[in-house]
Amino acid sequence: MTDKAPTYPDLLRSATERAVHLEMRDIYTVEGEQERITAWRAGHRWDRADRTSWWRPWLDLVVETAARGVVLRRGRIVSEPLSEYLRYSHSYAFTNVEAGEELRWLPRRRASDLALPGNDFWLVDHRLVLFNHFDGEGRPTGVEVSEDPDVVKLCSSAFEAVWERGVDHDAYQPS
């Protein structure tokens, strides 16, 4: 494993077949997101019909990646009822789906018998895993990259198990 990691744009641009992302935390403290969370708390919701109001650079990258034929999937293991952060996240997750990413939600109680790695990760083309590390408050603290076949196999297997049990975003009703 190495701490030398590609940027997220480089990671997705390197994908030729698929890029999957497993998220397992109930809170993420993302720099620059506080203003949007405050607006959400006050009742603001993104309007599906007004794409320019919610489109952002990340979604351009998702569209670009999907247009090359790369399958993008995100699985989220979540505690229920959802944390405030995940309720906020669910409210705008349609933007990722509209950009070309598939998304499934798995209630944590349905994941108890799954073998899962200790950290969120991206897995690209069954060849490279990028682990995301966070502190206890959900702030990113770094990444770790592995191309070890055993680590790749663990993450691939974990993601597929979550994906198989997950509920499609359009059908998931947060509690």
Side-chain angles (χ1 to χ4, degrees):
M1 292 202 192
T2 177
D3 289 331
K4 179 92 170 125
T7 64
Y8 292 110
D10 289 342
L11 183 73
L12 290 186
R13 289 182 178 126
S14 77
T16 59
E17 296 174 19
R18 65 186 243 144
V20 301
H21 188 192
L22 182 60
E23 296 178 326
M24 299 181 282
R25 299 184 55 84
D26 288 325
I27 184 169
Y28 294 89
T29 305
V30 179
E31 188 176 319
E33 199 170 46
Q34 288 310 110
E35 187 176 312
R36 290 190 304 262
I37 292 172
T38 300
W40 175 82
R41 283 181 186 135
H44 176 267
R45 298 298 182 266
W46 285 267
D47 179 354
R48 283 182 188 263
D50 184 12
R51 192 176 193 144
T52 59
S53 71
W54 49 260
W55 202 257
R56 52 196 189 276
W58 171 255
L59 299 177
D60 288 332
L61 180 59
V62 171
V63 167
E64 170 193 318
T65 304
R68 291 187 292 107
V70 175
V71 173
L72 290 161
R73 290 184 171 162
R74 181 184 309 245
R76 288 186 169 154
I77 298 175
V78 297
S79 299
E80 291 182 319
L82 294 183
S83 66
E84 178 186 54
Y85 180 84
L86 286 176
R87 288 192 318 274
Y88 154 74
S89 182
H90 184 272
S91 76
Y92 75 81
F94 73 89
T95 65
N96 292 61
V97 173
E98 290 194 18
E101 183 178 14
E102 298 174 57
L103 171 59
R104 290 190 181 170
W105 301 76
L106 179 63
R108 193 171 307 281
R109 64 182 153 61
R110 294 184 49 212
S112 297
D113 61 341
L114 299 180
L116 301 167
N119 296 289
D120 290 10
F121 64 84
W122 280 93
L123 172 61
V124 175
D125 293 334
H126 297 287
R127 66 173 170 78
L128 180 141
V129 177
L130 183 142
F131 289 105
N132 294 300
H133 297 289
F134 300 90
D135 68 13
E137 301 298 321
R139 291 179 294 257
T141 60
V143 297
E144 184 178 3
V145 175
S146 177
E147 292 180 288
D148 179 307
D150 291 334
V151 173
V152 167
K153 183 178 178 182
L154 168 71
C155 291
S156 179
S157 188
F159 184 85
E160 291 308 318
V162 168
W163 191 255
E164 183 178 303
R165 290 187 189 180
V167 178
D168 188 70
H169 174 70
D170 291 334
Y172 181 71
Q173 297 299 313
S175 60

